[in-house]
Amino acid sequence: MAQTMRPNTAAGGGLFATDGKPHPLQDTLLAVTLVLGVVAFITGLLFHSLHLLSSWAGLVGILTGAYGQWVSVTTRQRFGLILGLGASAVGFYLGLAHGGLFGGFFS
């Protein structure tokens, strides 16, 4: 039960740093992955004509999320990255299903 008496160090280090240290690169990758995931998911699900945006945003979101997972330090960062990766992947696959990365440019 020693963990119950441990002081909370997450308050001083930022929202996503549970070790009390700042992680600007990891937090930036997390934010970019989440934004790209939301953009890819929404455009892939609701706007079929925006398949170029959803597929490219999904692909870039997958790549930034994968790199973010590789360099992530805390569990909170990994949790957010997995959410962003999932949304990016779904948006990417929906974009591919509606026309792909180069749909309409190459015949």
Side-chain angles (χ1 to χ4, degrees), residues 15-102:
L15 180 61
F16 300 111
T18 55
D19 59 353
K21 300 175 188 171
H23 304 287
L25 172 66
Q26 291 83 356
D27 293 341
T28 303
L29 288 170
L30 171 61
V32 168
T33 303
L34 285 173
V35 167
L36 288 172
V38 167
V39 167
F41 183 76
I42 296 296
T43 56
L45 191 64
L46 299 177
F47 305 103
H48 298 253
S49 61
L50 293 177
H51 59 85
L52 290 173
L53 176 62
S54 62
S55 57
W56 281 105
L59 181 62
V60 173
I62 290 170
L63 295 175
T64 58
Y67 182 69
Q69 282 285 0
W70 186 45
V71 298
S72 66
V73 178
T74 64
T75 304
R76 289 182 189 178
Q77 292 167 353
R78 292 181 190 117
F79 180 76
L81 284 166
I82 289 297
L83 291 178
L85 272 167
S88 294
V90 170
F92 174 68
Y93 292 134
L94 287 171
L96 288 182
H98 295 144
L101 293 168
F102 302 107

